[in-house]
Amino acid sequence: MLTIKQQLIPVNRFSRPGKKLVAKRGIVMHYTADPGASAQAIGNYFISLKNQKSGDSTTNRYASAHIQIDRTTIVQSLPFDEMGYHCGSKQPYLTEALAKLGSYPNNSTVGIEMCIETDGAIHEDTFNNAVDLVVYLIQHEGFPEVIFTHKGVVGWKDCPLPWVKNPSEFERFKQRVHSRLETRDSLGPDNLQDSITFEEEEHLNLSVNQWTILINQLKELYNKKLITDYTWIDKAVAKKLTASELLFINTVIINRGIK
């Protein structure tokens, strides 16, 4: 049984616009292009995009996916019925993608990021976890068995690169998904067993005094501009801060302190 860890991005203009899909027309497979990065790390990155500022000298990035998958973990960043920014394109979409996904595939698809190993490969465990997830989306979330690579949607981006280099791996993936669906269909609905469960990350288990210390420390960091999002303080006050969020804050503080 595989567990989906839900760590939803707060609604924001850069990585979670909060818009519902206009339809569920397909599934788009990506890779992270970040060797060795975990599903959790990629999810944290998408969350961090909400801290971008409009009007400054830095070019803002709009990006997100619904799911990140590595060898052991599946992290959900967006609800499956909401739009993400995973397959936008400044160039015309490919003809087949337009025919099956509509004029703007972001608003009709779910995006899945597969993590890669330090050598750039997609591990077989990651591959199999992605199969499980796609089967779940088709059987339980109303998506059709319409699976594209990112390159198959936009044409110009070599994503997922391991499958662009070796197209037979994408064909093997689709065949594995189809075989799993056929097997489950033959069992009948009364005999199907879900292979995926959902798990919301638990909040930090701190004493009242520890929460007070943490809140005061976060406020001090905010005043020093080492953190710039007051949401973290609000979550600490509500005792809803999680361990991964605290780890992310710590990483941001270290990076900004070094700079």
Side-chain angles (χ1 to χ4, degrees):
M1 181 173 289
L2 198 61
T3 298
I4 295 179
K5 180 180 178 182
Q6 292 184 306
Q7 187 177 316
L8 300 182
I9 302 167
V11 174
N12 72 93
R13 63 181 298 188
F14 300 111
S15 54
R16 185 184 172 186
K19 297 179 180 179
K20 296 294 185 181
L21 295 177
V22 299
K24 294 181 177 180
R25 297 183 178 130
I27 297 163
V28 181
M29 306 301 297
H30 305 257
Y31 86 129
T32 59
D34 189 355
S38 67
Q40 183 68 65
I42 301 302
N44 288 342
Y45 168 70
F46 287 142
I47 289 175
S48 74
L49 294 180
K50 71 184 180 67
N51 297 322
Q52 297 175 104
K53 302 295 183 182
S54 299
D56 60 16
S57 59
T58 304
T59 300
N60 293 321
R61 186 178 185 204
Y62 294 79
S64 56
H66 293 78
I67 287 283
Q68 293 73 239
I69 298 176
D70 61 27
R71 294 168 63 173
T72 61
T73 308
I74 293 178
V75 175
Q76 182 181 6
S77 293
L78 296 171
F80 297 131
D81 64 349
E82 281 189 20
M83 186 181 86
Y85 292 134
H86 62 94
C87 57
S89 181
K90 293 182 180 180
Q91 299 180 21
Y93 291 103
L94 296 185
T95 301
E96 184 182 0
L98 289 171
K100 293 186 176 180
L101 306 178
S103 60
Y104 183 52
N106 268 333
N107 68 16
S108 66
T109 61
V110 62
I112 299 174
E113 292 274 1
M114 295 178 292
C115 295
I116 54 175
E117 304 301 300
T118 54
D119 63 358
I122 297 172
H123 193 276
E124 188 68 11
D125 290 345
T126 303
F127 181 101
N128 290 329
N129 288 344
V131 169
D132 286 343
L133 192 277
V134 170
V135 169
Y136 170 83
L137 291 172
I138 294 169
Q139 289 201 321
H140 297 281
E141 296 293 338
F143 286 89
E145 191 180 344
V146 175
I147 307 169
F148 279 84
T149 61
H150 190 183
K151 185 176 180 65
V153 176
V154 301
W156 55 269
K157 190 164 187 177
D158 289 340
C159 175
L161 183 59
W163 290 1
V164 172
K165 289 181 174 179
N166 187 2
S168 65
E169 280 296 281
F170 180 45
E171 294 305 315
R172 181 169 75 94
F173 181 83
K174 291 188 291 184
Q175 290 170 7
R176 182 75 61 83
V177 169
H178 186 72
S179 177
R180 288 278 303 281
L181 289 169
E182 282 192 327
T183 300
R184 287 192 165 203
D185 287 344
S186 68
L187 291 174
D190 294 335
N191 295 313
L192 292 179
Q193 293 185 350
D194 292 342
S195 60
I196 294 181
T197 59
F198 288 86
E199 177 184 272
E200 291 188 9
E201 188 176 6
E202 293 185 2
H203 304 145
L204 290 169
N205 184 19
L206 303 179
S207 67
V208 173
N209 186 53
Q210 287 173 325
W211 278 115
T212 300
I213 293 172
L214 178 58
I215 292 166
N216 289 336
Q217 288 294 315
L218 290 174
K219 287 181 177 178
E220 184 176 342
L221 292 166
Y222 182 82
N223 291 333
K224 292 180 178 179
K225 300 188 183 304
L226 286 173
I227 59 174
T228 58
D229 189 348
Y230 206 85
T231 303
W232 303 120
I233 300 170
D234 289 337
K235 294 193 76 169
V237 170
K239 296 181 174 58
K240 292 184 177 180
L241 201 65
T242 66
S244 63
E245 288 171 336
L246 188 59
L247 178 61
F248 172 70
I249 293 168
N250 185 59
T251 303
V252 169
I253 292 168
I254 291 172
N255 287 338
R256 288 177 178 166
I258 292 173
K259 292 178 182 178

